């Protein structure tokens, strides 16, 4: 039986999952492609390190070009992450006319268009299903199953780390710092979780999905993003009392010739399907003009789910059944990127508890055309201060920012503690 030789760059969580799935499901894979997959070489930092995979010692190398320049290797799998040296490795592999599969969302979001073009020039494939959503086949769904649709909206929970942290804060009453430490202990968060909690990871992923769905070049720097580091236990409590859960959302919507993108924490109605997505799970809503609304749900991270997505891309290349994801991308900007953030907002203040404070704040909101949906006052926190919570009607964020700039100068306002979007799906 013919063999297909794989070269894997990196030997972390996803790579070990890929190798273990190839062994675990070997009969299924061979039956699907009528070929044997062989892991020929794996790039590692330390060839002597013990690993939880069944590979012989001579497979390991510390030289990436033993893989990239190896004429017997047909497919290079990049799983080292980051921009450099992954970019150079993938570029050289494509120029060497090798197919490439990657899970590298940062690289695809920032250099993907260039690498796609390079793959086309060299007549090979660059696939990256595992870069978004772990084991959820979101990219394949957009490019294959729903390829006849014009997409209007993508909204989802696409970062498992932040979803785990917010779930623990909601269900177990943990403070933010406690939830982060628990996520790190269980391996859901890195030692430095900033890429996740600051919203960078979700921004990379929504940039990838938007570029594919809308056939439009998306610069990740054009995506306004806010992470979850300012979400407090108090916000979680208010959300629950008001009938919501807080989630980090990544969204992209297209209206006529405009696209609006955003990564932000949001109040999600407790009866909405996205509100029930917990822990490391991800979910993505797609809205097509023909198919309507579709939700994809599954584990957004982990060795086996992400390894499964990588293996699916490998199988697709071998069977020659895959499209090139960005075949339709237009080099010129097709749509205008806008940032209106026309939403409802939850705003929590800490104020001095004295007469006239509420009226003075409400007056500033009125001057800025901000209509209020509800106001919640609570008992004193002590030291003569009290929380004051507003939920607005739909309004552009710039109006909110203008009003808060004035309100923040009031002597009676101790702190503008939180500003969170309230989604009304």
């Amino acid at each position: 039986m013919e063999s297909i030789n794989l070269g894997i760059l990196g030997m972390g969580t996803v790579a070990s999952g890929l190798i273990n799935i190839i062994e675990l499901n070997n009969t299924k894979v061979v039956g699907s492609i009528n070929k044997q997959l062989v892991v020929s070489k794996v790039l590692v930092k330390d060839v002597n390190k013990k690993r939880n995979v069944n590979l012989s010692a001579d497979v390991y190398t510390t030289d990436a070009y033993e893989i990239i320049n190896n004429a017997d290797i047909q497919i290079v799998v990049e799983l080292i992450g980051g921009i450099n040296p992954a970019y150079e490795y993938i570029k050289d592999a494509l120029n060497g006319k090798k197919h490439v599969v990657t899970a590298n969302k940062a690289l695809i979001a920032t250099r993907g268009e260039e690498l796609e073009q390079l793959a086309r020039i060299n007549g090979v494939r660059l696939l990256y299903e595992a870069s978004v959503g772990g084991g959820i086949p979101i990219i394949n769904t957009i490019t294959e199953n729903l390829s006849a649709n014009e997409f209007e909206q993508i909204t989802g929970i696409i970062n498992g780390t932040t979803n785990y942290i917010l779930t623990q804060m909601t269900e177990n009453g943990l403070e933010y710092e406690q939830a982060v430490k628990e996520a790190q202990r269980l391996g859901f968060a890195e030692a430095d979780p900033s890429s996740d909690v600051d919203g960078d990871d979700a921004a990379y992923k929504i940039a990838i999905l938007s570029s594919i769905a809308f056939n439009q070049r998306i610069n990740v720097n054009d995506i306004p993003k806010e992470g979850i580091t300012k979400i407090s236990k108090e916000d979680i409590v208010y959300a629950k009392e008001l009938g919501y859960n807080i989630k980090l959302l990544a969204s992209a919507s297209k209206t006529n010739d405009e696209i609006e993108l955003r990564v932000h924490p949001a109040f999600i109605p407790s009866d909405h399907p996205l509100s029930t997505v917990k822990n490391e799970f991800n979910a993505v809503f797609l809205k097509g003009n023909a198919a309507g609304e579709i939700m994809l749900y599954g584990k957004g991270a982990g060795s086996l789910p992400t390894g499964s997505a990588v293996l699916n891309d490998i199988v697709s290349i071998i069977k020659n059944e895959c499209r090139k994801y960005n075949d339709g991308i237009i080099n010129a900007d097709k749509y205008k990127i806008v940032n209106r953030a026309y939403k409802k907002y939850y705003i929590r203040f800490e104020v001095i508890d004295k007469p006239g404070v509420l009226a003075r704040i409400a007056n500033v909101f009125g001057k800025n055309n901000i209509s209020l949906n509800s106001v919640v006052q609570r008992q004193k926190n002590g030291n003569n201060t009290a929380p004051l919570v507003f939920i607005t009607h739909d309004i552009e964020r710039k109006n909110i920012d203008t009003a808060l700039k004035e309100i923040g100068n009031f002597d009676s306002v101790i702190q503008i503690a939180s500003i969170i979007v309230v989604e009304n799906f």
Side-chain angles (χ1 to χ4, degrees), residues 135-386:
I136 304 173
I138 177 66
I139 293 177
N140 189 63
T141 298
I142 292 172
T143 59
E144 298 290 344
N145 304 92
L146 298 179
S147 60
N149 280 253
E150 286 287 339
F151 290 96
E152 301 169 5
Q153 187 172 17
I154 306 167
T155 302
I157 298 167
I158 53 179
N159 181 271
T161 298
T162 53
N163 202 48
Y164 179 86
I165 291 168
L166 292 172
T167 300
Q168 295 306 304
M169 293 175 70
T170 301
E171 298 195 343
N172 297 323
L174 300 186
E175 296 283 2
Y176 170 77
E177 293 79 7
Q178 293 175 307
V180 170
K181 288 180 180 178
E182 182 65 9
Q184 290 169 327
R185 185 183 71 81
L186 295 174
F188 295 133
E190 301 289 341
D192 177 5
S194 56
S195 178
D196 296 309
V197 300
D198 290 341
D200 295 326
D201 178 86
Y204 290 138
K205 292 173 179 176
I206 197 66
I208 292 169
L209 294 180
S210 302
S211 69
I212 296 169
F214 302 136
N215 293 329
Q216 161 82 27
R217 179 192 299 116
I218 301 294
N219 186 333
V220 71
N221 295 320
D222 290 336
I223 302 176
K225 68 177 186 299
E226 180 183 351
I228 65 168
T229 56
K230 296 179 182 178
I231 302 297
S232 70
K233 189 175 178 179
E234 288 76 17
D235 297 321
I236 297 288
V237 170
Y238 278 114
K240 291 169 74 173
E241 288 182 1
L242 294 166
Y244 299 91
N245 287 313
I246 299 177
K247 301 290 183 181
L248 183 70
L249 285 189
S251 62
S253 59
K254 178 170 69 70
T255 305
N256 299 322
D257 61 347
E258 295 180 340
I259 295 176
E260 184 162 14
L261 305 107
R262 183 166 292 273
V263 172
H264 61 276
F267 277 38
I268 309 295
S270 56
D271 60 352
H272 191 275
L274 280 177
S275 193
T276 65
V277 178
K278 298 179 181 181
N279 294 318
E280 74 273 25
F281 282 82
N282 283 192
V284 180
F285 263 98
L286 298 172
K287 185 176 181 182
N289 66 341
E293 291 185 348
I294 293 173
M295 176 174 164
L296 301 176
Y297 170 85
K299 285 195 173 182
S303 174
L304 294 180
T306 311
S308 172
V310 172
L311 181 54
N312 184 68
D313 276 348
I314 293 169
V315 169
S316 294
I317 287 171
I318 295 168
K319 295 172 73 173
N320 199 29
E321 291 181 348
C322 58
R323 296 177 60 194
K324 296 167 189 169
Y325 290 152
N326 287 344
D327 271 350
I329 278 191
I330 298 172
N331 289 329
D333 294 332
K334 184 177 181 182
Y335 301 104
K336 180 182 179 182
I337 305 298
V338 298
N339 178 24
R340 296 193 178 92
Y342 190 81
K343 300 280 187 180
K344 293 181 180 179
Y345 289 88
Y346 155 97
I347 307 169
R348 179 168 63 88
F349 298 93
E350 196 68 29
V351 302
I352 294 175
D353 188 32
K354 65 179 184 179
V357 175
L358 172 58
R360 192 178 181 195
I361 292 174
N363 180 59
V364 175
F365 281 153
K367 285 195 306 180
N368 288 278
N369 298 313
I370 300 169
S371 176
L372 298 177
N373 180 281
S374 62
V375 181
V376 179
Q377 289 181 286
R378 287 286 184 264
Q379 294 180 343
K380 295 180 183 180
N381 286 331
N383 299 322
N384 201 37
T385 67

Side-chain angles (χ1 to χ4, degrees), residues 52-53 81 171 193 395:
N52 187 32
V53 292
E171 298 195 343
I395 190 71

Side-chain angles (χ1 to χ4, degrees), residues 46-84:
D46 180 2
V47 296
N48 296 313
K49 180 179 177 180
K50 184 169 179 164
R51 297 174 172 86
N52 187 32
V53 292
N54 185 24
L55 292 176
S56 61
D58 61 351
V59 166
Y60 298 114
T61 178
T62 58
D63 181 2
Y65 287 88
E66 282 194 31
I67 294 171
I68 295 168
N69 294 333
N70 189 325
D72 294 327
I73 290 176
Q74 296 102 321
I75 301 175
V76 173
V77 182
E78 184 276 307
L79 298 173
I80 58 177
I83 305 296
N84 296 306

